[in-house]
Each structure stands twice: as C-alpha cells, then as structure tokens.
Amino acid sequence: MRLHWHRRDLRAADNRALAAAADDGPVLPVFVFDPSVLEHAAPPRMAFLRDALAWLREWYRERDSDLVIARGDPAEELPNLAEEHGANGVVWNHDYTGLAQERDGAVRAALDEAGVEHETFHDAVHHEPGTITTNDGDPYAVFSYFGDKWLDREKDDPVPAPDADALADVVGDELPKLDDLGFEEPDANLPSAGTGAARERLDRFCESPIFEYDEEREYPARSGTSRLSQDLKYGTIGIREVVERTAEALDEAESEAEHEAVETYREELAWREFYTQVTYYNPNVVSQNYKDFTNEIEWREDNEDLAAWKAGETGYPIVDAGMRQLRAEAYMHNRVRMIVASFLTKDLRLDWRAGYDHFRERLVDHDTANDNGGWQWAASTGTDAQPYFRVFNPMTQGERYDPDAEYITTHVPELDGVDPEAIHSWHELDDEEREDLAPEYPAPICDHGERREEAIAMFERARGDD
Ligand SMILES: Cc1cc2nc3c(=O)[nH]c(=O)nc-3n(C[C@H](O)[C@H](O)[C@H](O)COP(=O)(O)OP(=O)(O)OC[C@H]3O[C@@H](n4cnc5c(N)ncnc54)[C@H](O)[C@@H]3O)c2cc1C
C-alpha cells in the first residue's frame, strides 16, 4: 500500500499520482496541515481549502475509504503515517514554487532515511517546466513563443478517478476548524469548493461564454470568464479535464470568431504554465524584480496612499470598485487587476511587493506564480512585461470597459444613481460638483496626468536613461 499526499490536487479525478498509486494496490489518501505553509496563508484561502478538503473527504467516505489528516512538518508526519498504516511508499504531485521544492527535498530525505519509497508526478500543468524551451534548451522569457508551442503540443487525456476497491479501508480524521488553525472566518463571499462546484463552473462556461471569451472577458460587469482560478490553484479540477473541454469547444465552434475565442481561452491556460516555469527557474522573483535595472527604482513610501488604495478610497472609481470587489469576494476581475496594479505602481509609485502582499492576503485564488507574474507585468519589472512608458489611464479604462458604470456602482454604492458620464470624469469635476453628486465618495488622491510623467521619469532614472 502507498500513501497519496494531497497538496494542491484536492480531487480524485484526473489526478496522476493518485491514479498511479491506485493502479498497483490500495492507496491511502492523506493531507498534512504544514505550519510553514500556514504561515503564508490567509482566511479566504484557508476557508476554501477547508471546504475543498471536506468535499474530498466525502468523496472518499462514499467509497468506504477516508481522508487521513495530520498536522505538522510533512518530513516528520509522512514517515510516521507510513509506519502507522504499514505503507511502503508515498506518492505526490509536483509543486513548482521554490518553497515547495525545498519542503519536498526535506520530505524525500526523511522518507529515504525511514526506508519508505517515494515517487512524484507532473500533474498541475499540462507541460511541465523544461518541456517547452528555446531551441538551445533554455526556458522562454517571452510568452508568445512559449504560447505558440504550448498550443501546438499534443495534449494528454485526463486520468480516471480510482475505483472504490483501490482505496484503503481506513477511518480518517476530523477537519480542524479555522480558529484551531489560527485563522478567522473570512468576511468575503467565497465560491463553493470541490470538484462538483468546479465542474459546474466549467459547464456554465463551456455552454456559451467560451465562444465569446476574447471580447466578453474584458468587461468586469459581465460573466465572460470561467471563474476557475481558485480551482486550478487548489487542483479541485484537473488541467487535463479543462483542456479536454476546450478541445471539445473547438470542435463545436460554429464560426471563425468562435474558434478564435476558444483559442484565446486556451492561451490564458498557457499563460498560467508560462508563469509556472518563470517561477520555477527564477524562484527569487517572489521577492525581487525579474528585470535588472541599472539603478534602484525609487518607489515612494506613503502609508496613507497605500491605505486608500487597499480600502478602495482613491477617488478613481474603477480602481476603488476593484479593491472593494477584492474585499467582498476575495476575487477581482482580470482587467481590473491590471488597472489597480498599474495604479499602485505607476500613479502612486508604490512598490509592487506591497500590492502583491495585499493580494496574497485577500485573494482566494492567490497563486505565487500567477500573482507574481501579474504584478511584475503591471509594474514593468517582469518578464515580457508592460513597457514602462505605457501607463493605464484609470478613467479611460473605466469608460471603455464599464461604460454604464455597472461594475463600479455594484461595488461603490456611494456612486449609485450618479450619471456614468460624471463617474468617468470624476477627476475633472470640481469639489462642489462632486459634493453635490456623491458626498460620501472621495476626490481623487492624485492627478493621473502628473503621476504618469513622474512614473516614466522614475523608470528612466532606474534604467539609467537620463
Ligand atoms: C496583478 C495581477 C495579479 C494576479 N493574481 C493572480 C493570482 O493570484 N492567481 C491567478 O490564478 N491569477 C492571477 N492573475 C491572473 C488573472 O487575473 C486571473 O487568473 C483571472 O482573473 C481569474 O479569473 P478566471 O478564472 O475567471 O480567469 P479566465 O479568464 O477564465 O482564465 C482561465 C484561467 O487561466 C489562467 N489565467 C488567466 N489569466 C491569466 C494570467 N494573466 N496569468 C496567468 N494565468 C492566467 C487562470 O488559471 C484562470 O483561472 C493576476 C493578474 C494580475 C494582473
């Protein structure tokens, strides 16, 4: 018998390590609450994780098995569990971040010492780091080449969930409560967790939005995206299953436009794998700029501006709507993530790491590679990033992608009933007009035009251009 160590693969179907272990004997599923991971966690993600574990445990229980739950350093817990249950091996799926690799190295060493076999599998991405490279075998630093190869490569089929008779007959453990783990209940409204809920999201998306994805995904007031980010982060659904559905959608597409829309969606899945390999080969990006600059970037330090940004009180309606969606739903639409990240790093000239830390605290889908990739893209410090001289204008972005201010007024009720035109020109109104229209909503905390010039000058100094 082997143990399957669940980590970011909280599902039974399309799980490579679990399927391999079930193939050659009973498999005993385990999950370990690791204090060094809990240190970096936050309430929304812990709540989602707990619910995903509850779903998974139920799946095993319905098949007369169970999920064994431990708490402590996996390098101690796993050899102990193997001994306690008479298992001769442990399997798990790779996690590609620097911290995970360090931890897994320690677990391997501990299992070796205890004489317990171990085997690992590539599962979380379709094409693991090192398989899509330049002709010289180097990892790509530019997405387009990586993306083209990713799209062209043949895709594997999902692997089936284990049969009930391949699961160990075991009595599992109760799930610890959030406060036992040191977390409060989140105040955000979270998506439901588990493979069932993830499949419902995928079904909804593949029913029709996928065929209009390239246009509709830009509008935060519409349901144009798949909302699978937390599922892909925690592995409540397998990437092969998602990709298989997109292949079916390609076959079903009834026009060139629909076909292209599905391809655009597949490209986003490739972005996820691009950032996974960026982080894998450059683990330092979690705390350092990917790009080298001749001089230090002169980020400002301003706690008041940072607090206004976090609270959604900047007086830039689309920015504030995004920050409040984050607080209310532990999620933010992609277009708005780009806008708020640009605003923090370019308009406020605050370090992207402050924004990344806040997102890490608040997002249910926080994923080291994607979050870091997104922040360094917006801050112009990353691989294949937004050029430093291209600064999003938050007013025109709002006007273009939320013309009726529907998204804005959903999240910023102080502006409810205000004419969208006035909302989109909030920075041009005088104090009296603003007071008249929405007395509770603040005036802009800075002048975008001036700040844009300052940001460009800051990057030119960092590049040594001046
Ligand atoms: C500053 C910033 C921070 C971000 N932080 C995260 C994060 O912590 N976790 C996260 O999963 N995504 C992050 N993203 C990427 C993107 O915003 C989210 O993946 C997306 O909004 C999730 O919604 P969805 O599942 O409906 O996406 P869809 O549009 O339906 O996309 C499908 C899937 O593709 C992947 N994907 C989509 N866009 C990107 C992208 N730009 N980069 C990498 N993968 C992508 C995600 O796994 C997503 O679930 C960030 C983007 C920015 C600009």
Side-chain angles (χ1 to χ4, degrees):
M1 179 172 73
R2 292 201 277 178
L3 306 182
H4 172 73
W5 179 23
H6 279 287
R7 296 116 60 86
R8 285 183 50 182
D9 57 340
L10 304 180
R11 65 182 185 282
D14 193 21
N15 185 325
R16 280 181 159 169
L18 183 68
D23 256 359
D24 52 25
V27 53
L28 188 150
V30 306
F31 183 85
V32 183
F33 282 98
D34 174 355
S36 70
V37 174
L38 296 184
E39 224 176 273
H40 299 274
R45 279 180 289 124
M46 285 309 290
F48 187 83
L49 171 80
R50 173 202 57 194
D51 293 352
L53 285 170
W55 190 93
L56 185 62
R57 186 185 54 174
E58 207 40 46
W59 190 92
Y60 286 123
R61 285 184 175 176
E62 280 166 9
R63 285 155 187 82
D64 295 328
S65 184
D66 211 332
L67 183 62
V68 169
I69 292 171
R71 192 169 164 182
D73 179 353
E76 288 173 19
E77 298 301 321
L78 289 164
N80 289 346
L81 286 171
E83 190 184 341
E84 186 185 328
H85 293 278
N88 59 352
V90 183
V91 298
W92 66 85
N93 291 310
H94 281 281
D95 186 335
Y96 304 99
T97 64
L99 267 183
Q101 286 179 69
E102 267 175 42
R103 180 199 50 201
D104 292 356
V107 170
R108 280 194 188 93
L111 291 171
D112 285 341
E113 203 174 309
V116 179
E117 289 167 15
H118 46 87
E119 194 178 359
T120 53
F121 294 80
H122 290 289
D123 169 85
V125 287
H126 227 298
H127 302 295
E128 66 263 17
T131 56
I132 295 185
T133 60
T134 64
N135 293 341
D136 293 336
D138 295 325
Y140 277 111
V142 175
F143 173 74
S144 55
Y145 301 111
F146 177 94
D148 287 348
K149 283 192 179 171
W150 191 95
L151 289 171
D152 281 351
R153 287 273 163 94
E154 206 170 314
K155 299 286 180 275
D156 292 332
D157 292 334
V159 291
D163 290 336
D165 57 14
L167 301 171
D169 181 8
V170 67
V171 177
D173 303 276
E174 285 314 306
L175 277 168
K177 297 200 167 48
L178 281 195
D179 62 351
D180 293 340
L181 295 165
F183 293 89
E184 288 173 4
E185 285 292 335
D187 44 16
N189 192 6
L190 300 180
S192 27
T195 305
R199 282 183 172 155
E200 276 172 26
R201 286 187 271 276
L202 183 60
D203 286 346
R204 177 205 69 88
F205 183 63
C206 290
E207 182 68 36
S208 88
I210 195 170
F211 299 110
E212 294 176 305
Y213 178 74
D214 47 1
E215 169 74 9
E216 293 295 297
R217 70 181 170 140
E218 299 292 4
Y219 296 91
R222 305 182 192 167
S223 302
T225 69
S226 68
R227 295 299 300 259
L228 284 174
S229 45
Q230 64 288 322
D231 304 304
L232 290 170
K233 148 84 191 189
Y234 284 103
T236 48
I237 198 159
I239 187 65
R240 286 157 299 279
E241 185 171 332
V242 176
V243 170
E244 184 181 56
R245 294 291 299 275
T246 66
E248 287 165 16
L250 281 178
D251 289 342
E252 287 162 24
E254 287 178 353
S255 64
E256 190 54 35
E258 288 192 357
H259 201 272
E260 265 173 37
V262 179
E263 281 290 27
T264 305
Y265 182 70
R266 286 161 68 93
E267 206 168 273
E268 292 308 317
L269 300 176
W271 267 104
R272 170 177 171 270
E273 302 200 4
F274 175 68
Y275 283 141
T276 298
Q277 57 110 44
V278 168
T279 314
Y280 178 76
Y281 287 110
N282 311 276
N284 291 344
V285 290
V286 293
S287 57
Q288 289 166 24
N289 297 333
Y290 176 91
K291 261 192 194 132
D292 284 332
F293 287 86
T294 309
N295 304 308
E296 288 275 301
I297 303 175
E298 297 157 8
W299 302 113
R300 289 167 63 241
E301 274 184 34
D302 188 324
N303 288 338
E304 243 176 71
D305 279 1
L306 181 61
W309 177 81
K310 285 184 182 176
E313 297 277 349
T314 67
Y316 280 91
I318 189 82
V319 173
D320 294 340
M323 298 309 293
R324 296 194 204 182
Q325 183 186 24
L326 177 62
R327 198 167 54 192
E329 298 174 16
Y331 174 85
M332 195 191 301
H333 185 275
N334 180 58
R335 165 67 42 192
V336 193
R337 291 188 204 207
M338 295 194 285
I339 298 170
V340 305
S342 175
F343 189 82
L344 185 85
T345 54
K346 308 285 174 63
D347 290 73
L348 301 183
R349 283 179 38 221
L350 299 176
D351 195 327
W352 62 264
R353 282 158 278 231
Y356 173 78
D357 283 349
H358 185 64
F359 270 30
R360 183 156 58 83
E361 271 291 300
R362 291 279 171 171
L363 279 174
V364 66
D365 66 14
H366 163 73
D367 172 285
T368 305
N370 289 355
D371 211 358
N372 188 267
W375 273 100
Q376 295 227 39
W377 178 87
S380 305
T381 57
T383 164
D384 207 1
Q386 171 88 318
Y388 72 92
F389 47 82
R390 223 176 272 153
V391 178
F392 275 19
N393 178 328
M395 305 311 300
T396 49
Q397 288 281 317
E399 201 171 6
R400 185 153 170 212
Y401 296 111
D402 191 29
D404 301 328
E406 204 183 327
Y407 173 78
I408 291 173
T409 50
T410 301
H411 296 288
V412 185
E414 303 95 294
L415 290 170
D416 205 11
V418 178
D419 182 29
E421 212 175 303
I423 292 179
H424 295 311
S425 44
W426 194 248
H427 61 307
E428 285 168 352
L429 306 180
D430 61 36
D431 285 344
E432 211 174 301
E433 287 170 313
R434 282 194 282 257
E435 178 70 22
D436 230 30
L437 289 169
E440 304 297 324
Y441 186 65
I445 59 170
C446 63
D447 179 295
H448 170 71
E450 282 171 20
R451 290 299 179 86
R452 178 182 174 279
E453 298 303 318
E454 288 173 22
I456 292 174
M458 173 181 85
F459 276 100
E460 285 175 349
R461 286 193 300 280
R463 288 159 50 92
D465 288 351
D466 62 345

